[in-house]
Amino acid sequence: MPERWRTTGAAAPGQRSVGEPGTARIAVDLLGGDQAPAVVVDGALRACKADPSLHLTLVGPAEAADAVLAALKPADRRRITTAITPADTIGGAVLAVAEGRADALVSAGDTRATVLSAARELGRWPGLRRPALAAVVPTAAGRLVLLDVGSTVDPDEETLAWHARLGAAYASVVHRISAPRVGLLTIGTEPGKGDRLRRALPAQLVSLPLPAGARYAGLVEGGDVVLGRAADVVVTDGFTGNVLLKGLETAYALTGPPSRNTDPPARAALLLGVSGTVVVCHGAAAGPDIAAGIALAADLYRRGSVAAIADLLRVQRGIA
């Protein structure tokens, strides 16, 4: 069934529009997540109330969208647009960005469906076959970028080399780290540790040109991710990264983050490698997690982070 748009001050379907300076228009998948739509409605409300410059496009069934509208003051309802669709809410959110009706999207739905839809509708960056999900992990020393955390579970050497480039650019642009250190996650720091892929890749990473003056810092273990002293970026496959991230999330929920100066890990990751700002939340995300994902998407859009990362990689690889 096609979408039915109900606008309250936003552009009509098919029209490209630009928000006012400082605004961020975020498309939200109302049916994404294990406990959707209730937690997504909760998260959307939290985000909308916390950020008066935020505009939301709610993609999903009418009753879920109406629950958000009913809980807002009349003045705040003007910041809400709804796309009424009972199915493929991920595709609807991606389409809103592709057609210029939203600046970014947030979904806690199926990761594979989100990645495929975003790559198809928004387009991949030149030379990149598989986009990667990059998460920020708090460490005892601060924070690091971990990727991939769920997009590609069976990568080859080229894919992991791209992860190194993407992570280095992310750390430089978003965290403003000069010459980021890039580590490869494996089961030991001695040469030759790990599976075939992990044994073969270090030789390539040593000579791989990386953006922002980044350098390959060698092999790292899971404990190094918690300590955060060996690398600013940790590269791995989507299967291992997802397992590690969920384990850290649970551990930090029970004991707190490894430093009082760092926040718990956000249950959201940025999809790097597509021409748009796409934030994927944990399927088990609660309302505050959805709100944090929306805030992350808005912040990345306002700072022009995805475009800056793409430009940095384009310049580093000599692509006009």
Side-chain angles (χ1 to χ4, degrees), residues 111-262:
T111 297
R112 185 172 184 272
T114 304
V115 173
L116 290 176
S117 183
R120 181 179 63 249
E121 299 296 338
L122 303 178
R124 286 186 285 264
W125 293 347
L128 184 144
R129 292 187 299 114
R130 298 182 177 185
L133 282 170
V136 177
V137 178
T139 73
R143 59 187 173 181
L144 61 75
V145 182
L146 175 67
L147 74 168
D148 182 26
V149 295
S151 177
T152 302
V153 298
D154 56 348
D156 53 17
E157 291 180 36
E158 179 185 359
T159 301
L160 289 187
W162 260 107
H163 290 176
R165 296 188 187 100
L166 293 169
Y170 185 108
S172 173
V173 170
V174 179
H175 295 167
R176 295 186 172 91
I177 296 175
S178 176
R181 301 162 299 162
V182 178
L184 176 64
L185 185 66
T186 186
I187 57 174
T189 58
E190 304 87 357
K193 286 287 188 177
D195 58 11
R196 181 200 59 79
L197 181 60
R198 249 62 53 150
R199 294 195 302 270
L201 195 63
Q204 181 176 343
L205 292 178
V206 167
S207 59
L208 181 70
L210 295 172
R215 62 180 178 84
Y216 174 57
L219 303 176
V220 297
E221 298 181 86
D224 295 315
V225 174
V226 177
L227 296 175
R229 301 190 186 106
D232 306 299
V233 177
V234 172
V235 170
T236 188
D237 62 275
F239 179 89
T240 305
N242 190 274
V243 171
L244 174 61
L245 182 64
K246 289 178 178 176
L248 291 174
E249 287 175 347
T250 302
Y252 293 164
L254 294 173
T255 65
S259 170
R260 293 181 180 179
N261 298 322
T262 58

Side-chain angles (χ1 to χ4, degrees), residues 28 30 36-47 63-69 71 287 290:
V28 180
L30 287 174
V39 296
V40 185
V41 169
D42 179 33
L45 285 170
R46 290 172 183 264
E63 56 271 20
D66 288 344
V68 177
L69 291 169
I290 299 293

